[in-house]
Amino acid sequence: MYLTYQRGALHDLPDAPDAYDTVLARVAEEALARITEDGNLERPGCVLDVGDTSLGVTSLLALAFRRSGGALEHLAEPVRRSLAFHLRERVYVHDNPGYPNLRVRDSAVPYARYSLGDGEHPLGDWPSTVWALLQAVNILDAADGLLDAAHRAALTELARGYWRRLTEITFFNPQDATNQAIGCVVGGLMLARHLPAAAGAAVRATAMQLYEREVRARRLPDRGALLPAEHGGAYDNNYGPISLSFLAQAHRVSGEEVFATDGDEIARYIDARLSSGGYDVGGPRYSEQHCGFEAVLGLRYFSRRVRADLGRYLGDTRWARHAAGPDGALDGHFAFMLVWQTQDPPGWHRAPREGAVRHQLRREGVSVSFDDRLTPAVVEAGRTVLLPAAVSRQHGIGPAEDGFLLTRPFGRVRVRDAAAAPGLTAKLVTKPVVTRDGDLVHTRSLYVTDGVRLWLVVAVDRRPGEPYLLAGLPYATAHGDRLAKLRHAAGVDFAAKGLRHTTDGALVIGGMAVAGAAGLRLTTPDFPGADGTAYFNSPTTIGLTQEQAAFRLAADPRGFGNPDEGWRHITATTAIEAPAVPRGPDGLHLFAVRYGPAATAAEPFEPSFEPAGADLVVRAEEFTAVVGPPSGDHAGEPTLRLRGR
């Protein structure tokens, strides 16, 4: 069962100029075959996101004409005819019945519709007007040799009307979707270049004020970064990279450094979220629903700026160049992103970011992406992905006692990074946490990788009972160029009711082998009755992705809710569990797990642990690490020394 949207690394798309010329040639061929007598270029059957689509295809034809230096003269007439269609048939000036976000009624100022019928999905009219504005200014950019003075004046006046509708007639950014707000700012910056000096300066000033007041001032923190708000959350897999593309275009057309600075911050954040293989999970509106061509400009532009391989991002390559309908037919929605990609110099930065990153440990094919609390959010090794497992509605990867996860910080979380030859990288995370009874417990989590394997060692203050390490939810593995959801481990069916599979050796799960110093358990939750929606990988959810299960439990399964909230309602999941190492040092419970490619299953895993004063010495196959005490050094910072074996 393939994951729906992770279909390929976006930097694998050819981006040389001739590749874009080939794309535009295909677009022109389909558009010329489709255009109606009255000039309509909309995809047949398109009913939503329709208000900008014909104009978007027009902009692509105009771009192809301009890139040819006028040699494609046969495109000039369709451009003029389709522009006339939009001006005649797709410009609305009477208020849409039911639209709730007007500041001025009966203004007769033009706007674009999300759906054409009166009162049908009026909430989408604000972003549709943003997209129509962007399509319009792209046509104005390519107007030389295509539009006469009358058509150019009419289109310029329409674009000014769209700008007024977005900034004067309606509330700004009424959906709290900041990618749309940044897109509007870009539209203003591009429009300003086509206006007389005084009018252009006023529009540009308004655009910059809106960016400062409505975008920057409303950013939300996550993982040490300030990010554009999307539908109530700080990041969204779909809209976050789209915002990055808008910031790239804003910087390209304005030269204002604020767009580059803010884009750099988002780019570094995305890089830390992504696994080595380009997988990411979740976001406040979309879980796993990655965009495609809409992200390319931003990821490529900022990969060069922050010198990170952002293009490993697994996007939806069904939308590799432009929007398309279910039948694959060209759709002009968001066509401006293809226009801007074509205009931007090609070239991805393809090497990983250098230096330590607080919320990531990564080397070659191994990575750990940490959440804001420095708990692993995604672990990848052997081209296989683990997510935080759930027990008793708590989610994480870390130590647990009696079904209670010891991962929520109750004090400052501290990090120390280290590296050693040959090719070893490590991260130590220290956390004070509280137990179910409110007792304070110190945890030290050591992550070491050689680029092939990942060693996880966790030390916890000794407690009564038999704690264990919740070592992850096996989720997806590479299958060719795509990711497929895991359903079995070494022949064990995750959907087996109440499964508790114990092994002293390694578990082979997809392309990953997981070994525990004290053995491992693979569990699947025992669930009551026939309703398994809150028990992921039960028989009723084994055929669902994380996204689909999350939306089932979200407030709005249609897609306007927050699937991450739904995922937090998951009571339990399949989980890898590692018992504590027997006969650990006095005062400590120790857990040790090794993740690696399936080929490492037969390799012995017999780490040793020795106290050295207040320090703990950890020895494994490839390294020796000296982990300092929870109290840290004289400044309270954790200490870690690493050397290769």
Side-chain angles (χ1 to χ4, degrees), residues 108-143:
V109 174
Y111 66 97
R113 284 194 174 178
Y114 177 73
S115 186
L116 301 182
D118 283 356
E120 294 180 6
H121 300 292
L123 283 173
D125 290 353
W126 200 87
S128 289
T129 304
V130 175
W131 314 148
L133 170 61
L134 293 170
Q135 318 283 28
V137 291
N138 280 333
I139 296 172
L140 287 173
D141 283 351

PDB file of all heavy atoms in Angstrom, residues 108-143:
ATOM      1  N   ALA A 108     -18.706  47.031  -6.133  1.00  0.00           N
ATOM      2  CA  ALA A 108     -18.494  46.851  -7.573  1.00  0.00           C
ATOM      3  C   ALA A 108     -17.019  46.712  -7.927  1.00  0.00           C
ATOM      4  O   ALA A 108     -16.638  46.859  -9.095  1.00  0.00           O
ATOM      5  CB  ALA A 108     -19.129  47.982  -8.374  1.00  0.00           C
ATOM      6  N   VAL A 109     -16.164  46.399  -6.946  1.00  0.00           N
ATOM      7  CA  VAL A 109     -14.746  46.156  -7.193  1.00  0.00           C
ATOM      8  C   VAL A 109     -14.581  44.690  -7.592  1.00  0.00           C
ATOM      9  O   VAL A 109     -15.156  43.805  -6.964  1.00  0.00           O
ATOM     10  CB  VAL A 109     -13.912  46.493  -5.943  1.00  0.00           C
ATOM     11  CG1 VAL A 109     -12.449  46.105  -6.142  1.00  0.00           C
ATOM     12  CG2 VAL A 109     -14.026  47.981  -5.629  1.00  0.00           C
ATOM     13  N   PRO A 110     -13.803  44.383  -8.625  1.00  0.00           N
ATOM     14  CA  PRO A 110     -13.784  43.023  -9.176  1.00  0.00           C
ATOM     15  C   PRO A 110     -13.098  42.008  -8.264  1.00  0.00           C
ATOM     16  O   PRO A 110     -12.240  42.343  -7.452  1.00  0.00           O
ATOM     17  CB  PRO A 110     -13.011  43.186 -10.483  1.00  0.00           C
ATOM     18  CG  PRO A 110     -12.172  44.391 -10.283  1.00  0.00           C
ATOM     19  CD  PRO A 110     -12.975  45.311  -9.420  1.00  0.00           C
ATOM     20  N   TYR A 111     -13.500  40.750  -8.438  1.00  0.00           N
ATOM     21  CA  TYR A 111     -12.875  39.639  -7.736  1.00  0.00           C
ATOM     22  C   TYR A 111     -13.044  38.385  -8.582  1.00  0.00           C
ATOM     23  O   TYR A 111     -13.794  38.360  -9.563  1.00  0.00           O
ATOM     24  CB  TYR A 111     -13.488  39.439  -6.344  1.00  0.00           C
ATOM     25  CG  TYR A 111     -14.929  38.993  -6.336  1.00  0.00           C
ATOM     26  CD1 TYR A 111     -15.274  37.648  -6.192  1.00  0.00           C
ATOM     27  CD2 TYR A 111     -15.971  39.922  -6.464  1.00  0.00           C
ATOM     28  CE1 TYR A 111     -16.594  37.234  -6.186  1.00  0.00           C
ATOM     29  CE2 TYR A 111     -17.291  39.522  -6.457  1.00  0.00           C
ATOM     30  CZ  TYR A 111     -17.603  38.175  -6.310  1.00  0.00           C
ATOM     31  OH  TYR A 111     -18.912  37.770  -6.315  1.00  0.00           O
ATOM     32  N   ALA A 112     -12.328  37.322  -8.201  1.00  0.00           N
ATOM     33  CA  ALA A 112     -12.453  36.021  -8.868  1.00  0.00           C
ATOM     34  C   ALA A 112     -13.174  35.064  -7.932  1.00  0.00           C
ATOM     35  O   ALA A 112     -13.100  35.205  -6.711  1.00  0.00           O
ATOM     36  CB  ALA A 112     -11.078  35.467  -9.235  1.00  0.00           C
ATOM     37  N   ARG A 113     -13.839  34.085  -8.513  1.00  0.00           N
ATOM     38  CA  ARG A 113     -14.609  33.143  -7.706  1.00  0.00           C
ATOM     39  C   ARG A 113     -13.940  31.772  -7.637  1.00  0.00           C
ATOM     40  O   ARG A 113     -13.378  31.287  -8.616  1.00  0.00           O
ATOM     41  CB  ARG A 113     -16.024  32.993  -8.245  1.00  0.00           C
ATOM     42  CG  ARG A 113     -16.909  34.175  -7.905  1.00  0.00           C
ATOM     43  CD  ARG A 113     -18.365  33.869  -8.149  1.00  0.00           C
ATOM     44  NE  ARG A 113     -19.218  34.961  -7.696  1.00  0.00           N
ATOM     45  CZ  ARG A 113     -20.540  34.975  -7.819  1.00  0.00           C
ATOM     46  NH1 ARG A 113     -21.157  33.948  -8.410  1.00  0.00           N
ATOM     47  NH2 ARG A 113     -21.243  35.993  -7.373  1.00  0.00           N
ATOM     48  N   TYR A 114     -14.076  31.161  -6.476  1.00  0.00           N
ATOM     49  CA  TYR A 114     -13.609  29.789  -6.277  1.00  0.00           C
ATOM     50  C   TYR A 114     -14.505  28.812  -7.029  1.00  0.00           C
ATOM     51  O   TYR A 114     -14.049  27.850  -7.632  1.00  0.00           O
ATOM     52  CB  TYR A 114     -13.616  29.501  -4.780  1.00  0.00           C
ATOM     53  CG  TYR A 114     -13.224  28.100  -4.389  1.00  0.00           C
ATOM     54  CD1 TYR A 114     -11.900  27.687  -4.468  1.00  0.00           C
ATOM     55  CD2 TYR A 114     -14.175  27.204  -3.899  1.00  0.00           C
ATOM     56  CE1 TYR A 114     -11.529  26.407  -4.080  1.00  0.00           C
ATOM     57  CE2 TYR A 114     -13.811  25.924  -3.512  1.00  0.00           C
ATOM     58  CZ  TYR A 114     -12.491  25.530  -3.607  1.00  0.00           C
ATOM     59  OH  TYR A 114     -12.139  24.261  -3.221  1.00  0.00           O
ATOM     60  N   SER A 115     -15.799  29.067  -6.995  1.00  0.00           N
ATOM     61  CA  SER A 115     -16.773  28.321  -7.784  1.00  0.00           C
ATOM     62  C   SER A 115     -17.706  29.343  -8.411  1.00  0.00           C
ATOM     63  O   SER A 115     -18.010  30.377  -7.804  1.00  0.00           O
ATOM     64  CB  SER A 115     -17.552  27.346  -6.898  1.00  0.00           C
ATOM     65  OG  SER A 115     -18.387  26.520  -7.666  1.00  0.00           O
ATOM     66  N   LEU A 116     -18.171  29.075  -9.614  1.00  0.00           N
ATOM     67  CA  LEU A 116     -18.795  30.145 -10.393  1.00  0.00           C
ATOM     68  C   LEU A 116     -20.219  30.485  -9.964  1.00  0.00           C
ATOM     69  O   LEU A 116     -20.664  31.618 -10.142  1.00  0.00           O
ATOM     70  CB  LEU A 116     -18.786  29.761 -11.879  1.00  0.00           C
ATOM     71  CG  LEU A 116     -17.395  29.507 -12.481  1.00  0.00           C
ATOM     72  CD1 LEU A 116     -17.513  29.183 -13.959  1.00  0.00           C
ATOM     73  CD2 LEU A 116     -16.467  30.694 -12.246  1.00  0.00           C
ATOM     74  N   GLY A 117     -20.953  29.531  -9.410  1.00  0.00           N
ATOM     75  CA  GLY A 117     -22.346  29.791  -9.067  1.00  0.00           C
ATOM     76  C   GLY A 117     -22.491  30.707  -7.872  1.00  0.00           C
ATOM     77  O   GLY A 117     -21.680  30.679  -6.936  1.00  0.00           O
ATOM     78  N   ASP A 118     -23.534  31.527  -7.866  1.00  0.00           N
ATOM     79  CA  ASP A 118     -23.799  32.402  -6.729  1.00  0.00           C
ATOM     80  C   ASP A 118     -23.960  31.583  -5.454  1.00  0.00           C
ATOM     81  O   ASP A 118     -24.739  30.623  -5.405  1.00  0.00           O
ATOM     82  CB  ASP A 118     -25.081  33.210  -6.963  1.00  0.00           C
ATOM     83  CG  ASP A 118     -24.879  34.357  -7.927  1.00  0.00           C
ATOM     84  OD1 ASP A 118     -23.729  34.571  -8.351  1.00  0.00           O
ATOM     85  OD2 ASP A 118     -25.870  35.042  -8.259  1.00  0.00           O
ATOM     86  N   GLY A 119     -23.197  31.963  -4.426  1.00  0.00           N
ATOM     87  CA  GLY A 119     -23.332  31.310  -3.134  1.00  0.00           C
ATOM     88  C   GLY A 119     -22.694  29.946  -3.015  1.00  0.00           C
ATOM     89  O   GLY A 119     -22.822  29.296  -1.973  1.00  0.00           O
ATOM     90  N   GLU A 120     -21.974  29.487  -4.029  1.00  0.00           N
ATOM     91  CA  GLU A 120     -21.336  28.170  -3.984  1.00  0.00           C
ATOM     92  C   GLU A 120     -19.893  28.317  -3.481  1.00  0.00           C
ATOM     93  O   GLU A 120     -19.060  28.898  -4.158  1.00  0.00           O
ATOM     94  CB  GLU A 120     -21.340  27.524  -5.368  1.00  0.00           C
ATOM     95  CG  GLU A 120     -22.739  27.191  -5.884  1.00  0.00           C
ATOM     96  CD  GLU A 120     -22.694  26.551  -7.261  1.00  0.00           C
ATOM     97  OE1 GLU A 120     -21.576  26.271  -7.753  1.00  0.00           O
ATOM     98  OE2 GLU A 120     -23.774  26.343  -7.844  1.00  0.00           O
ATOM     99  N   HIS A 121     -19.625  27.802  -2.300  1.00  0.00           N
ATOM    100  CA  HIS A 121     -18.288  27.858  -1.698  1.00  0.00           C
ATOM    101  C   HIS A 121     -17.696  29.275  -1.742  1.00  0.00           C
ATOM    102  O   HIS A 121     -16.561  29.470  -2.193  1.00  0.00           O
ATOM    103  CB  HIS A 121     -17.331  26.901  -2.413  1.00  0.00           C
ATOM    104  CG  HIS A 121     -17.757  25.475  -2.362  1.00  0.00           C
ATOM    105  ND1 HIS A 121     -17.767  24.733  -1.207  1.00  0.00           N
ATOM    106  CD2 HIS A 121     -18.203  24.644  -3.334  1.00  0.00           C
ATOM    107  CE1 HIS A 121     -18.194  23.518  -1.464  1.00  0.00           C
ATOM    108  NE2 HIS A 121     -18.473  23.431  -2.737  1.00  0.00           N
ATOM    109  N   PRO A 122     -18.412  30.272  -1.259  1.00  0.00           N
ATOM    110  CA  PRO A 122     -17.876  31.645  -1.378  1.00  0.00           C
ATOM    111  C   PRO A 122     -16.612  31.881  -0.558  1.00  0.00           C
ATOM    112  O   PRO A 122     -15.860  32.808  -0.855  1.00  0.00           O
ATOM    113  CB  PRO A 122     -19.035  32.511  -0.865  1.00  0.00           C
ATOM    114  CG  PRO A 122     -19.820  31.600   0.037  1.00  0.00           C
ATOM    115  CD  PRO A 122     -19.721  30.234  -0.575  1.00  0.00           C
ATOM    116  N   LEU A 123     -16.348  31.038   0.450  1.00  0.00           N
ATOM    117  CA  LEU A 123     -15.172  31.271   1.283  1.00  0.00           C
ATOM    118  C   LEU A 123     -13.875  31.212   0.489  1.00  0.00           C
ATOM    119  O   LEU A 123     -12.864  31.772   0.890  1.00  0.00           O
ATOM    120  CB  LEU A 123     -15.130  30.249   2.425  1.00  0.00           C
ATOM    121  CG  LEU A 123     -16.090  30.513   3.588  1.00  0.00           C
ATOM    122  CD1 LEU A 123     -16.085  29.354   4.556  1.00  0.00           C
ATOM    123  CD2 LEU A 123     -15.727  31.808   4.307  1.00  0.00           C
ATOM    124  N   GLY A 124     -13.889  30.519  -0.647  1.00  0.00           N
ATOM    125  CA  GLY A 124     -12.678  30.414  -1.443  1.00  0.00           C
ATOM    126  C   GLY A 124     -12.415  31.596  -2.345  1.00  0.00           C
ATOM    127  O   GLY A 124     -11.402  31.614  -3.065  1.00  0.00           O
ATOM    128  N   ASP A 125     -13.279  32.605  -2.324  1.00  0.00           N
ATOM    129  CA  ASP A 125     -13.114  33.716  -3.266  1.00  0.00           C
ATOM    130  C   ASP A 125     -11.874  34.556  -2.980  1.00  0.00           C
ATOM    131  O   ASP A 125     -11.284  35.123  -3.908  1.00  0.00           O
ATOM    132  CB  ASP A 125     -14.357  34.615  -3.238  1.00  0.00           C
ATOM    133  CG  ASP A 125     -15.578  33.944  -3.843  1.00  0.00           C
ATOM    134  OD1 ASP A 125     -15.436  32.841  -4.400  1.00  0.00           O
ATOM    135  OD2 ASP A 125     -16.682  34.521  -3.738  1.00  0.00           O
ATOM    136  N   TRP A 126     -11.477  34.675  -1.696  1.00  0.00           N
ATOM    137  CA  TRP A 126     -10.309  35.516  -1.396  1.00  0.00           C
ATOM    138  C   TRP A 126      -9.041  34.926  -2.013  1.00  0.00           C
ATOM    139  O   TRP A 126      -8.347  35.619  -2.777  1.00  0.00           O
ATOM    140  CB  TRP A 126     -10.146  35.713   0.118  1.00  0.00           C
ATOM    141  CG  TRP A 126      -9.294  36.904   0.460  1.00  0.00           C
ATOM    142  CD1 TRP A 126      -9.714  38.196   0.602  1.00  0.00           C
ATOM    143  CD2 TRP A 126      -7.874  36.923   0.671  1.00  0.00           C
ATOM    144  NE1 TRP A 126      -8.651  39.018   0.902  1.00  0.00           N
ATOM    145  CE2 TRP A 126      -7.503  38.263   0.949  1.00  0.00           C
ATOM    146  CE3 TRP A 126      -6.885  35.947   0.658  1.00  0.00           C
ATOM    147  CZ2 TRP A 126      -6.190  38.639   1.210  1.00  0.00           C
ATOM    148  CZ3 TRP A 126      -5.561  36.322   0.912  1.00  0.00           C
ATOM    149  CH2 TRP A 126      -5.224  37.660   1.192  1.00  0.00           C
ATOM    150  N   PRO A 127      -8.702  33.667  -1.734  1.00  0.00           N
ATOM    151  CA  PRO A 127      -7.495  33.138  -2.392  1.00  0.00           C
ATOM    152  C   PRO A 127      -7.630  33.061  -3.904  1.00  0.00           C
ATOM    153  O   PRO A 127      -6.634  33.261  -4.625  1.00  0.00           O
ATOM    154  CB  PRO A 127      -7.328  31.743  -1.772  1.00  0.00           C
ATOM    155  CG  PRO A 127      -8.647  31.407  -1.186  1.00  0.00           C
ATOM    156  CD  PRO A 127      -9.250  32.702  -0.776  1.00  0.00           C
ATOM    157  N   SER A 128      -8.826  32.775  -4.428  1.00  0.00           N
ATOM    158  CA  SER A 128      -8.974  32.736  -5.889  1.00  0.00           C
ATOM    159  C   SER A 128      -8.655  34.090  -6.505  1.00  0.00           C
ATOM    160  O   SER A 128      -8.098  34.172  -7.603  1.00  0.00           O
ATOM    161  CB  SER A 128     -10.391  32.302  -6.263  1.00  0.00           C
ATOM    162  OG  SER A 128     -10.577  30.923  -5.972  1.00  0.00           O
ATOM    163  N   THR A 129      -8.992  35.157  -5.791  1.00  0.00           N
ATOM    164  CA  THR A 129      -8.668  36.499  -6.282  1.00  0.00           C
ATOM    165  C   THR A 129      -7.171  36.754  -6.226  1.00  0.00           C
ATOM    166  O   THR A 129      -6.598  37.388  -7.125  1.00  0.00           O
ATOM    167  CB  THR A 129      -9.442  37.556  -5.476  1.00  0.00           C
ATOM    168  OG1 THR A 129     -10.847  37.273  -5.546  1.00  0.00           O
ATOM    169  CG2 THR A 129      -9.197  38.957  -6.018  1.00  0.00           C
ATOM    170  N   VAL A 130      -6.508  36.242  -5.167  1.00  0.00           N
ATOM    171  CA  VAL A 130      -5.046  36.341  -5.121  1.00  0.00           C
ATOM    172  C   VAL A 130      -4.435  35.647  -6.326  1.00  0.00           C
ATOM    173  O   VAL A 130      -3.573  36.207  -7.026  1.00  0.00           O
ATOM    174  CB  VAL A 130      -4.492  35.724  -3.820  1.00  0.00           C
ATOM    175  CG1 VAL A 130      -2.960  35.725  -3.855  1.00  0.00           C
ATOM    176  CG2 VAL A 130      -4.990  36.481  -2.595  1.00  0.00           C
ATOM    177  N   TRP A 131      -4.896  34.407  -6.591  1.00  0.00           N
ATOM    178  CA  TRP A 131      -4.300  33.657  -7.707  1.00  0.00           C
ATOM    179  C   TRP A 131      -4.574  34.356  -9.040  1.00  0.00           C
ATOM    180  O   TRP A 131      -3.693  34.402  -9.906  1.00  0.00           O
ATOM    181  CB  TRP A 131      -4.833  32.230  -7.747  1.00  0.00           C
ATOM    182  CG  TRP A 131      -4.866  31.486  -6.435  1.00  0.00           C
ATOM    183  CD1 TRP A 131      -5.773  30.534  -6.067  1.00  0.00           C
ATOM    184  CD2 TRP A 131      -3.964  31.593  -5.317  1.00  0.00           C
ATOM    185  NE1 TRP A 131      -5.502  30.046  -4.809  1.00  0.00           N
ATOM    186  CE2 TRP A 131      -4.386  30.682  -4.323  1.00  0.00           C
ATOM    187  CE3 TRP A 131      -2.837  32.368  -5.055  1.00  0.00           C
ATOM    188  CZ2 TRP A 131      -3.739  30.522  -3.101  1.00  0.00           C
ATOM    189  CZ3 TRP A 131      -2.193  32.223  -3.833  1.00  0.00           C
ATOM    190  CH2 TRP A 131      -2.628  31.323  -2.877  1.00  0.00           C
ATOM    191  N   ALA A 132      -5.780  34.904  -9.213  1.00  0.00           N
ATOM    192  CA  ALA A 132      -6.092  35.611 -10.456  1.00  0.00           C
ATOM    193  C   ALA A 132      -5.225  36.853 -10.617  1.00  0.00           C
ATOM    194  O   ALA A 132      -4.797  37.185 -11.736  1.00  0.00           O
ATOM    195  CB  ALA A 132      -7.574  35.980 -10.486  1.00  0.00           C
ATOM    196  N   LEU A 133      -4.961  37.553  -9.508  1.00  0.00           N
ATOM    197  CA  LEU A 133      -4.055  38.705  -9.567  1.00  0.00           C
ATOM    198  C   LEU A 133      -2.671  38.278 -10.040  1.00  0.00           C
ATOM    199  O   LEU A 133      -2.062  38.938 -10.902  1.00  0.00           O
ATOM    200  CB  LEU A 133      -3.969  39.352  -8.182  1.00  0.00           C
ATOM    201  CG  LEU A 133      -2.878  40.423  -7.985  1.00  0.00           C
ATOM    202  CD1 LEU A 133      -3.082  41.599  -8.935  1.00  0.00           C
ATOM    203  CD2 LEU A 133      -2.838  40.888  -6.531  1.00  0.00           C
ATOM    204  N   LEU A 134      -2.166  37.173  -9.528  1.00  0.00           N
ATOM    205  CA  LEU A 134      -0.834  36.714  -9.914  1.00  0.00           C
ATOM    206  C   LEU A 134      -0.791  36.269 -11.375  1.00  0.00           C
ATOM    207  O   LEU A 134       0.193  36.523 -12.078  1.00  0.00           O
ATOM    208  CB  LEU A 134      -0.395  35.576  -8.987  1.00  0.00           C
ATOM    209  CG  LEU A 134      -0.167  36.005  -7.529  1.00  0.00           C
ATOM    210  CD1 LEU A 134       0.022  34.793  -6.628  1.00  0.00           C
ATOM    211  CD2 LEU A 134       1.022  36.946  -7.420  1.00  0.00           C
ATOM    212  N   GLN A 135      -1.838  35.610 -11.839  1.00  0.00           N
ATOM    213  CA  GLN A 135      -1.886  35.248 -13.264  1.00  0.00           C
ATOM    214  C   GLN A 135      -1.887  36.513 -14.124  1.00  0.00           C
ATOM    215  O   GLN A 135      -1.205  36.586 -15.164  1.00  0.00           O
ATOM    216  CB  GLN A 135      -3.140  34.413 -13.581  1.00  0.00           C
ATOM    217  CG  GLN A 135      -3.503  33.335 -12.576  1.00  0.00           C
ATOM    218  CD  GLN A 135      -2.662  32.075 -12.646  1.00  0.00           C
ATOM    219  OE1 GLN A 135      -1.511  32.103 -13.058  1.00  0.00           O
ATOM    220  NE2 GLN A 135      -3.221  30.964 -12.210  1.00  0.00           N
ATOM    221  N   ALA A 136      -2.640  37.524 -13.678  1.00  0.00           N
ATOM    222  CA  ALA A 136      -2.758  38.753 -14.469  1.00  0.00           C
ATOM    223  C   ALA A 136      -1.422  39.476 -14.590  1.00  0.00           C
ATOM    224  O   ALA A 136      -1.037  39.928 -15.681  1.00  0.00           O
ATOM    225  CB  ALA A 136      -3.812  39.674 -13.844  1.00  0.00           C
ATOM    226  N   VAL A 137      -0.693  39.605 -13.473  1.00  0.00           N
ATOM    227  CA  VAL A 137       0.574  40.342 -13.551  1.00  0.00           C
ATOM    228  C   VAL A 137       1.612  39.565 -14.355  1.00  0.00           C
ATOM    229  O   VAL A 137       2.484  40.165 -14.996  1.00  0.00           O
ATOM    230  CB  VAL A 137       1.105  40.700 -12.146  1.00  0.00           C
ATOM    231  CG1 VAL A 137       0.193  41.741 -11.488  1.00  0.00           C
ATOM    232  CG2 VAL A 137       1.252  39.476 -11.254  1.00  0.00           C
ATOM    233  N   ASN A 138       1.525  38.233 -14.348  1.00  0.00           N
ATOM    234  CA  ASN A 138       2.436  37.469 -15.204  1.00  0.00           C
ATOM    235  C   ASN A 138       2.164  37.733 -16.683  1.00  0.00           C
ATOM    236  O   ASN A 138       3.093  37.790 -17.492  1.00  0.00           O
ATOM    237  CB  ASN A 138       2.306  35.970 -14.906  1.00  0.00           C
ATOM    238  CG  ASN A 138       3.089  35.561 -13.674  1.00  0.00           C
ATOM    239  OD1 ASN A 138       4.077  36.176 -13.319  1.00  0.00           O
ATOM    240  ND2 ASN A 138       2.629  34.518 -13.005  1.00  0.00           N
ATOM    241  N   ILE A 139       0.891  37.870 -17.051  1.00  0.00           N
ATOM    242  CA  ILE A 139       0.567  38.203 -18.441  1.00  0.00           C
ATOM    243  C   ILE A 139       1.068  39.606 -18.768  1.00  0.00           C
ATOM    244  O   ILE A 139       1.625  39.845 -19.852  1.00  0.00           O
ATOM    245  CB  ILE A 139      -0.941  38.078 -18.689  1.00  0.00           C
ATOM    246  CG1 ILE A 139      -1.377  36.623 -18.514  1.00  0.00           C
ATOM    247  CG2 ILE A 139      -1.308  38.559 -20.095  1.00  0.00           C
ATOM    248  CD1 ILE A 139      -2.882  36.424 -18.542  1.00  0.00           C
ATOM    249  N   LEU A 140       0.898  40.545 -17.839  1.00  0.00           N
ATOM    250  CA  LEU A 140       1.410  41.893 -18.076  1.00  0.00           C
ATOM    251  C   LEU A 140       2.925  41.875 -18.277  1.00  0.00           C
ATOM    252  O   LEU A 140       3.459  42.625 -19.105  1.00  0.00           O
ATOM    253  CB  LEU A 140       1.047  42.803 -16.901  1.00  0.00           C
ATOM    254  CG  LEU A 140      -0.420  43.216 -16.797  1.00  0.00           C
ATOM    255  CD1 LEU A 140      -0.670  43.972 -15.501  1.00  0.00           C
ATOM    256  CD2 LEU A 140      -0.831  44.072 -18.002  1.00  0.00           C
ATOM    257  N   ASP A 141       3.629  41.010 -17.530  1.00  0.00           N
ATOM    258  CA  ASP A 141       5.082  40.916 -17.692  1.00  0.00           C
ATOM    259  C   ASP A 141       5.462  40.465 -19.098  1.00  0.00           C
ATOM    260  O   ASP A 141       6.552  40.795 -19.592  1.00  0.00           O
ATOM    261  CB  ASP A 141       5.664  39.928 -16.677  1.00  0.00           C
ATOM    262  CG  ASP A 141       5.764  40.520 -15.278  1.00  0.00           C
ATOM    263  OD1 ASP A 141       5.556  41.736 -15.124  1.00  0.00           O
ATOM    264  OD2 ASP A 141       6.055  39.752 -14.338  1.00  0.00           O
ATOM    265  N   ALA A 142       4.589  39.668 -19.742  1.00  0.00           N
ATOM    266  CA  ALA A 142       4.890  39.117 -21.070  1.00  0.00           C
ATOM    267  C   ALA A 142       4.113  39.814 -22.175  1.00  0.00           C
ATOM    268  O   ALA A 142       4.013  39.294 -23.290  1.00  0.00           O
ATOM    269  CB  ALA A 142       4.567  37.617 -21.082  1.00  0.00           C
ATOM    270  N   ALA A 143       3.575  41.002 -21.888  1.00  0.00           N
ATOM    271  CA  ALA A 143       2.606  41.614 -22.801  1.00  0.00           C
ATOM    272  C   ALA A 143       3.215  42.168 -24.084  1.00  0.00           C
ATOM    273  O   ALA A 143       2.508  42.307 -25.093  1.00  0.00           O
ATOM    274  CB  ALA A 143       1.861  42.737 -22.077  1.00  0.00           C
TER     275      ALA A 143
END
